[in-house]
Amino acid sequence: MDSGAPAGQAGSDARRGPAETGTGAGRPKALSPSRAGDFMQCPLLYRFRVIDRLPEKPSAAATRGTVVHAVLERLFDAPAAERTTERARGLVPGEWERLLASRPELAELFHDEDGAHDPALLAKWLGEAERLVERWFTLEDPTRLEPAERELYVETALESGPLLRGFIDRVDVAPTGDVRIVDYKTGKAPAPRFRSEALFQMTFYALVLWKLKGRVPRRLQLVYLGSGDVLTYDPVEEELRAVERKLRALWDAIVLATETGEWRPRPTKLCGWCDHQAVCPEFGGTPPPYPLPIVAQRDGRVATGEGEQGRMDSV
């Protein structure tokens, strides 16, 4: 995930704006890596983000990730010889201003305790973004890269399953036709025992591209700008079939929770990052009234009426 925050806090969906965290309730229509991660982390968190669409505060870390991703995407607009560290650093202020114009509320990230704009705080933050961009040049050489796609939106529907969708940072295609999926992370590389989440995100994208193109991507590459690490993984077809089965089961659980209104909080150490503690039963809060009609119970019987907050079995 980006910027070192836990799953869903500053992931690939987060840097693209509050598409799934606006106002107004709705039923789940598709599954992205971040939202799948939310449900696996805590079904109640998924409900708050996708069903209730409760607002969440922007963070400086996630916003920095948005700017850095935009810089690394835009740098490839220049001819190869002009993709220099100096040029990349110079793009940072402009990308921040572009983001700020679309999301003026982000200016509050750089206010002092009295609510006044703090130029020093903003300058420090921009400097941190520039250093992340600089580190990328020690990990990859953009003068030798010609991406086939950048910020690629992908979407495919599984047969008798969910619509899968998301954004891929970069897709490289070799002369042989081999495909490499690249994802930038502005945080630090996780310890080996914690890499399953990042790998899940990448195999999710590999599955979608395989469905769309008919060819298993040759390599998955994670570029961690926070620590200067590059992690690679070469998937095989059977692994992607297993991912597909997992996503079908996950979607079945989401549909069941949507129809029954039963969303179980799953407390972990990541709860400290959550914006929704005030409405979480684990912290003495009460979730808002369930905004969707109850159409089934867990035993399969049809039910009607408004649901109360329940608890769902682990997936």
Side-chain angles (χ1 to χ4, degrees):
M1 79 204 84
D2 291 336
S3 41
Q9 291 298 105
S12 57
D13 288 354
R15 70 170 183 268
R16 295 179 179 90
E20 293 180 277
T21 55
T23 58
R27 290 184 178 276
K29 297 180 176 63
L31 198 59
S32 69
S34 293
R35 298 294 77 83
D38 286 346
F39 190 84
M40 289 186 291
Q41 174 187 322
C42 175
L44 185 57
L45 173 63
Y46 178 96
R47 178 202 147 169
F48 288 157
R49 285 180 164 164
V50 178
I51 305 295
D52 299 291
R53 300 184 183 180
L54 300 182
E56 297 182 351
K57 297 178 181 179
S59 73
T63 304
R64 182 172 55 240
T66 303
V67 170
V68 170
H69 278 80
V71 168
L72 300 187
E73 177 190 6
R74 191 169 298 275
L75 184 65
F76 285 104
D77 290 340
E82 297 178 19
R83 298 170 194 163
T84 63
T85 305
E86 293 74 19
R87 184 184 187 93
R89 288 188 59 182
L91 291 173
V92 170
E95 290 304 321
W96 159 240
E97 292 297 333
R98 186 191 301 269
L99 179 61
L100 183 62
S102 65
R103 298 185 60 192
E105 72 276 9
L106 294 178
E108 297 178 6
L109 292 171
F110 308 106
H111 289 177
D112 59 24
E113 294 180 357
D114 297 325
H117 175 63
D118 188 338
L121 191 60
L122 175 59
K124 179 182 178 181
W125 181 85
L126 289 171
E128 292 168 348
E130 291 175 359
R131 284 189 289 276
L132 290 173
V133 168
E134 285 180 334
R135 181 168 288 157
W136 178 57
F137 284 81
T138 69
L139 305 174
E140 296 190 288
D141 182 357
T143 67
R144 302 180 64 183
L145 295 171
E146 292 298 338
E149 301 287 352
R150 291 172 277 154
E151 288 293 308
L152 175 65
Y153 176 75
V154 292
E155 177 180 294
T156 191
L158 296 181
E159 184 178 352
S160 302
L163 176 68
L164 306 180
R165 65 187 181 191
F167 286 87
I168 301 175
D169 289 344
R170 198 179 85 216
V171 178
D172 300 332
V173 180
T176 61
D178 286 341
V179 172
R180 176 172 64 183
I181 299 176
V182 180
D183 195 71
Y184 308 121
K185 302 294 186 182
T186 51
K188 297 180 180 180
R193 65 182 184 278
F194 297 124
R195 290 176 182 173
S196 60
E197 179 185 330
L199 182 59
F200 170 76
Q201 174 193 357
M202 297 299 281
T203 53
F204 181 108
Y205 289 138
L207 171 65
V208 174
L209 277 190
W210 177 39
K211 294 290 184 181
L212 293 174
K213 306 294 186 182
R215 183 167 184 167
V216 174
R218 175 68 178 81
R219 173 153 293 182
L220 311 178
Q221 180 167 302
L222 291 152
V223 181
Y224 286 92
L225 304 176
S227 57
D229 294 298
V230 176
L231 305 181
T232 61
Y233 186 79
D234 298 341
V236 297
E237 183 174 319
E238 185 53 39
E239 289 176 301
L240 299 189
R241 293 190 185 279
V243 171
E244 181 175 357
R245 291 192 294 270
K246 179 175 182 176
L247 291 173
R248 289 180 188 275
L250 191 66
W251 187 250
D252 287 344
I254 290 172
V255 170
L256 179 61
T258 303
E259 293 179 345
T260 62
E262 297 180 12
W263 301 89
R264 180 181 180 178
R266 186 174 297 153
T268 68
K269 293 180 180 179
L270 299 178
C271 291
W273 295 79
C274 187
D275 281 340
H276 308 301
Q277 293 182 12
V279 291
C280 177
E282 296 295 329
F283 292 87
T286 301
Y290 192 56
L292 300 177
I294 300 301
V295 298
Q297 296 178 358
R298 287 196 60 84
D299 60 7
R301 291 178 295 162
V302 176
T304 59
E306 298 300 318
E308 298 179 356
Q309 177 60 40
R311 300 180 68 87
M312 194 188 75
D313 294 337
S314 301
V315 178

